[in-house]
Amino acid sequence: MQIGLVGLGKMGGNMRERLRNAGHEVFGYDTNPDVSDVDNLVELADRLRAPRAIWVMVPAGAATQGVIDQLASVLKPGDTVIDGGNSRWTDDEKHAEELAKHGIGFVDAGVSGGVWGLENGYALMVGGDKEHVDRLKPIFDALKPEGPYGYVHAGKVGAGHFAKMVHNGIEYAMMQAYAEGWELLEKVDSVTDVREVFRSWQEGTVIRSWLLDLAVNALDEDEHLEKLRGYAEDSGEGRWTVEAGIDNAVPLPAITASLFARFASRQPDSPQMKLIAALRNQFGGHAVESTK
């Protein structure tokens, strides 16, 4: 099958290679001419036979909107656009409506696999009309991991990115739990080899996972993580998950706490704890530490 791919970064570039390895004809476009197969989106569309399919792998928000706007002007009725970036599901509904005015189909694909996807395959959560999804099934089959799992047509437009958003929210909470356990193990004197404790959990325990395997990899590289600063960004999907929980009155205490923990990591000196220290001093005469 032929497909166009817009955005050839870490994931997009590997996806192009995995698709080509599976025998598909892929034309890629990127603003970096060193990795691009074509010079612009017009040339990309011209290289493809109708009905065309173009997969977009660019940052969510303005960048994705800009590509969608351009594709609406160069594609024809019967073509399909797939957004495989981390767009918000509400944007999917907007993009589908905009493209439908031109007779162009739209599919949203939540993609998980990161830099390991080329070798292991990508978990795909797809949203869109059945006719559009079914036509793209050979592409999904090539990108997904081998075996029966790793792909789902999750529902209508927006369902793919909503599912991926929840996936990332769960990921936040799982990583936070591992991190808290690691810190506690490092804190006590009785445990003398925290890294090997983590390694012992990789087989036969209920908390074994790929994330645990990656944690062991990280500890093998830097046993006490002394080379790292305790600072973690959030991609936006954690926030969207918490907001969706609020909108739907679904309690998400673990995911919400893990998101707030990332916010706390960015504060070298917590303003909140300053007031708490002051209050403890006021009502109980508890000692406070001066900045001087």
Side-chain angles (χ1 to χ4, degrees):
M1 182 175 176
Q2 275 194 331
I3 189 166
L5 188 56
V6 180
L8 301 171
K10 292 179 181 178
M11 285 188 70
N14 283 345
M15 289 169 67
R16 175 175 62 176
E17 186 173 348
R18 186 173 175 88
L19 287 169
R20 286 176 174 171
N21 291 343
H24 296 285
E25 189 176 12
V26 185
F27 298 100
Y29 169 69
D30 193 274
T31 53
N32 178 4
D34 294 336
V35 300
S36 192
D37 301 315
V38 297
D39 293 331
N40 51 60
L41 291 178
V42 174
E43 184 182 351
L44 179 64
D46 289 343
R47 290 280 193 99
L48 300 169
R49 294 185 297 271
R52 303 168 185 83
I54 294 184
W55 190 302
V56 180
M57 287 295 292
V58 300
T64 294
Q65 184 65 61
V67 173
I68 295 292
D69 291 343
Q70 292 180 68
L71 290 176
S73 66
V74 301
L75 296 180
K76 304 295 182 184
D79 295 342
T80 306
V81 173
I82 309 99
D83 180 5
N86 282 332
S87 293
R88 191 165 183 163
W89 80 96
T90 49
D91 289 343
D92 296 326
E93 297 166 355
K94 176 174 176 286
H95 295 154
E97 186 176 325
E98 291 169 349
L99 291 170
K101 295 176 182 177
H102 302 273
I104 301 168
F106 178 84
V107 169
D108 60 287
V111 181
S112 182
V115 296
W116 297 88
L118 173 59
E119 178 182 352
N120 299 333
Y122 301 88
L124 301 172
M125 296 140 272
V126 176
D129 293 345
K130 187 176 186 299
E131 62 174 305
H132 300 140
V133 173
D134 286 350
R135 185 168 79 85
L136 297 163
K137 193 65 164 49
I139 297 299
F140 300 141
D141 286 342
L143 289 172
K144 68 179 284 295
E146 293 184 11
Y149 308 117
Y151 163 81
V152 62
H153 181 188
K156 60 186 181 179
V157 166
H161 280 144
F162 194 93
K164 176 58 164 48
M165 176 194 75
V166 174
H167 164 282
N168 280 25
I170 293 170
E171 176 188 301
Y172 273 48
M174 290 176 66
M175 288 193 292
Q176 185 65 27
Y178 283 129
E180 290 175 7
W182 173 79
E183 182 179 358
L184 183 57
L185 287 166
E186 285 276 340
K187 190 73 172 180
V188 300
D189 293 333
S190 57
V191 180
T192 58
D193 199 336
V194 175
R195 177 177 60 186
E196 293 310 310
V197 170
F198 263 58
R199 198 187 311 279
S200 75
W201 294 343
Q202 289 182 274
E203 298 291 344
T205 71
V206 296
I207 63 167
R208 63 189 184 273
S209 72
W210 188 41
L211 280 175
L212 178 61
D213 295 341
L214 295 176
V216 172
N217 289 349
L219 295 175
D220 280 340
E221 295 172 4
D222 181 7
E223 183 174 356
H224 302 288
L225 303 182
E226 294 168 329
K227 300 175 184 177
L228 300 179
R229 178 186 168 201
Y231 178 101
E233 282 287 1
D234 66 287
S235 63
E237 291 183 307
R239 301 185 190 209
W240 300 342
T241 306
V242 172
E243 290 171 3
I246 294 170
D247 292 342
N248 292 278
V250 175
L252 305 175
I255 293 173
T256 302
S258 67
L259 174 65
F260 286 177
R262 295 198 185 190
F263 296 163
S265 79
R266 300 167 203 170
Q267 296 179 330
D269 187 23
S270 171
Q272 297 173 21
M273 289 303 113
K274 290 182 180 182
L275 182 57
I276 289 173
L279 288 170
R280 292 181 74 249
N281 177 258
Q282 289 293 318
F283 68 68
H286 299 289
V288 294
E289 295 186 10
S290 174
T291 57
K292 297 181 179 179

